[in-house]
Amino acid sequence: MLYTVSQRFFFDAAHTLKRDIEAEGSRRVHGHTYHAEVWLKGERNPATGMVIDLGVLRRRLDEVREKLDHHLLDDVPGLKPPTLENLCLFIAEALADLKPGLARVRVWREALGDACTLELDS
């Protein structure tokens, strides 16, 4: 049997973005509260009863959050430009070595209703 477990976190960050629509506001430094959720899919370990120890997953998510929270996303190494799509990819790449592997990463801005989901083959 395959199980899917997930964990959420949030971070506050600022960024700029060059785009054709809503250009003036996007090019100024502005911030958002971002929410993220990761899903891991795998078999339950019969010895532990878990797919992954959620404490281990939370520790790894704290490491990712530390790279993003209260930072100017434009300056985060490996994240250019700071779009929702690139944030999904950034998080997925930071957690690529987790076992079991990631199945999905979602990043959203609740206040704006914007979201992006990255579906992964694990």
Side-chain angles (χ1 to χ4, degrees):
M1 285 189 245
L2 286 179
Y3 295 84
T4 303
V5 295
S6 68
Q7 183 68 51
R8 291 181 182 179
F9 68 100
F10 74 94
F11 58 96
D12 295 306
H15 73 111
T16 65
L17 196 58
K18 293 179 182 165
R19 47 196 287 228
D20 293 330
I21 192 167
E22 300 172 352
E24 185 178 329
S26 294
R27 289 184 184 174
R28 287 193 303 263
V29 174
H30 62 282
H32 303 283
T33 297
Y34 293 88
H35 299 268
E37 186 168 9
V38 299
W39 286 262
L40 290 86
K41 184 183 289 187
E43 295 184 10
R44 179 185 61 85
N45 179 324
T48 65
M50 298 180 276
V51 173
I52 187 172
D53 185 321
L54 290 176
V56 170
L57 181 55
R58 278 191 289 275
R59 182 173 294 146
R60 291 296 303 279
L61 293 179
D62 286 344
E63 293 170 5
V64 174
R65 184 176 187 270
E66 182 65 30
K67 294 176 182 178
L68 300 170
D69 191 42
H70 287 89
H71 286 277
L72 179 62
L73 297 179
D74 303 55
D75 297 338
V76 172
L79 177 65
K80 294 260 183 191
T83 62
L84 292 175
E85 294 86 348
N86 284 340
L87 283 165
C88 285
L89 184 59
F90 180 86
I91 293 167
E93 288 176 345
L95 302 173
D97 64 327
L98 280 177
K99 299 294 181 217
L102 289 173
R104 174 184 297 156
V105 177
R106 181 173 182 244
V107 176
W108 71 97
R109 299 180 300 194
E110 189 73 30
L112 296 175
D114 300 335
C116 180
T117 301
L118 174 61
E119 301 285 345
L120 299 155
D121 297 326
S122 52

